[in-house]
Amino acid sequence: MARSILVIGAGVAGLAAAWSARRRGAQVTVISAGVGETALAGGAVDDVPWEQVERAARLLGSDLPAGDLAPAARQFAAELGLWDVPQASGVRLATVAGRIRPARGRDRALLDLGSLRRTRVLIPRAARAAWDADALAEALTDEPFARARGLRFLPVDAPVLRFDDERQIADGDLAARHDDPARLSWLLDRLRQALEGAGGAGAILLGPWLGARAPRAEALAARLGVPVGEAVIGAGSPAGLRFEAARDALLAAIGAARRHGRVRAVGGDPGGRADRARASRSTWRARTCRSPRTR
Ligand SMILES: Cc1cc2nc3c(=O)[nH]c(=O)nc-3n(C[C@H](O)[C@H](O)[C@H](O)COP(=O)(O)OP(=O)(O)OC[C@H]3O[C@@H](n4cnc5c(N)ncnc54)[C@H](O)[C@@H]3O)c2cc1C
């Protein structure tokens, strides 16, 4: 008989739990009170506190360790379709604060600098608060990783904002405009001109603007012939919107039921015996699905 599982929370932990339970044949209901941390994070996928580990690796003069991914984690990431999490290595991400930092994986809209060597990375100027291409280029070029790899970041004039309101709208709204294939083609033309104007480059770094429903960076890169991607920002990145879209698609694909509400309490088995709670599906459902009180 299929077991019924109630998953509380629809962040990445709840999603992974729901996915895993469905793989084992359980009936799954996911209940969530709304936005959590996953929907606020910037798209870097970490497995360790990166600053401490990087500092230790630098002190020891060794490479950053990146353990092999468990097959289930690999499968989960593949089915989510949102993240690039290399099997046995990490990625290198530029932040809007001018750091180059390691991560175990990334939302596919983020630019991975890890494979670049002795090349220039273009940063288009854009009149938006929190996007200062000149300062960013200077700070990133000065990063130890960039110096070791011979990476130079170059601010360039490329009109990546199309309408006046794009100076002020939120990153998520600008990202959503690039879900439109026509708008993405418009951006592609501007980036192509920027590449030609600069006499070529190894990559292009943009703000967090490349898609709200899905990452659009790889489509641009495929047509431009060089990697293109976003820098990581703090809270409020469109990476959260992309996660929510990918999560909803995955939960629908695996046939998990969804409920919205805040669980106030989860009733245990009154006799304290888990086996009694599991004894029959109807008993289990009655206790578990009714006992959470939602508002
Ligand atoms: C601004 C920011 C930046 C971050 N940057 C990074 C980063 O660069 N790299 C990285 O690896 N991590 C980062 N993190 C951390 C990472 O996002 C979290 O560790 C991860 O998303 C936690 O996932 P989760 O599923 O455990 O929790 P959440 O994503 O918070 O999900 C919890 C879920 O539970 C639901 N919930 C909670 N209580 C109840 C209840 N009583 N009833 C019903 N539902 C409930 C919430 O509504 C939500 O859906 C960042 C986090 C933030 C906020």
Side-chain angles (χ1 to χ4, degrees):
M1 185 175 12
R3 285 190 298 168
S4 295
I5 306 267
L6 183 71
V7 175
I8 302 171
V12 67
L15 178 63
W19 174 84
S20 181
R22 283 295 290 148
R23 287 221 310 172
R24 289 168 171 75
Q27 299 297 318
V28 174
T29 299
V30 177
I31 183 163
S32 161
V35 169
E37 280 194 48
T38 317
L40 292 172
V45 180
D46 292 304
D47 55 352
V48 291
W50 65 273
E51 293 197 74
Q52 293 159 26
V53 174
E54 179 166 68
R55 209 175 301 131
R58 210 182 294 163
L59 254 175
L60 296 169
S62 67
D63 284 338
L64 285 167
D68 281 357
L69 273 191
R74 221 166 43 235
Q75 185 67 24
F76 171 70
E79 287 187 36
L80 184 60
L82 176 67
W83 296 331
D84 166 37
V85 189
Q87 165 58 12
S89 63
V91 298
R92 289 282 177 164
L93 306 172
T95 76
V96 286
R99 302 283 312 272
I100 297 180
R101 63 107 135 178
R104 189 62 184 82
R106 60 174 180 129
D107 171 308
R108 291 177 183 279
L110 304 184
L111 180 64
D112 177 15
L113 301 167
S115 59
L116 302 177
R117 278 184 177 71
R118 283 183 293 285
T119 191
R120 296 186 308 169
V121 179
L122 305 186
I123 307 183
R125 294 189 175 97
R128 285 179 60 77
W131 187 251
D132 183 337
D134 294 78
L136 190 55
E138 197 180 327
L140 291 174
T141 302
D142 205 32
E143 277 284 280
F145 179 83
R147 284 193 263 119
R149 294 292 183 96
L151 301 184
R152 277 203 305 123
F153 293 79
L154 196 69
V156 289
D157 286 320
V160 292
L161 303 182
R162 187 169 188 182
F163 301 107
D164 274 350
D165 67 343
E166 291 175 5
R167 292 162 178 253
Q168 284 110 26
I169 58 175
D171 287 327
D173 291 327
L174 184 52
R177 294 195 178 173
H178 294 111
D179 286 329
D180 173 4
R183 173 57 190 265
L184 202 63
S185 292
W186 180 90
L187 178 62
L188 176 76
D189 289 341
R190 278 23 189 210
L191 298 180
R192 198 173 272 139
Q193 286 162 14
L195 271 176
E196 285 166 10
I204 301 178
L205 180 67
L206 290 163
W209 313 319
L210 297 178
R213 287 203 306 272
R216 308 293 171 193
E218 288 174 340
L220 283 173
R223 290 163 71 189
L224 274 174
V226 299
V228 180
E230 298 176 350
V232 186
I233 61 166
S237 163
L241 300 174
R242 297 189 288 259
F243 168 78
E244 292 192 323
R247 173 202 61 197
D248 294 350
L250 183 57
L251 287 176
I254 64 177
R258 298 285 301 274
R259 300 280 180 276
H260 180 79
R262 179 168 295 279
V263 174
R264 296 269 190 209
V266 177
D269 175 32
R273 288 179 49 194
D275 58 338
R276 219 161 81 201
R278 279 202 297 267
S280 92
R281 197 167 149 205
S282 55
T283 308
W284 188 93
R285 272 195 174 155
R287 289 198 179 134
T288 309
C289 291
R290 246 192 267 136
S291 56
R293 290 193 293 277
T294 62
R295 66 168 184 200

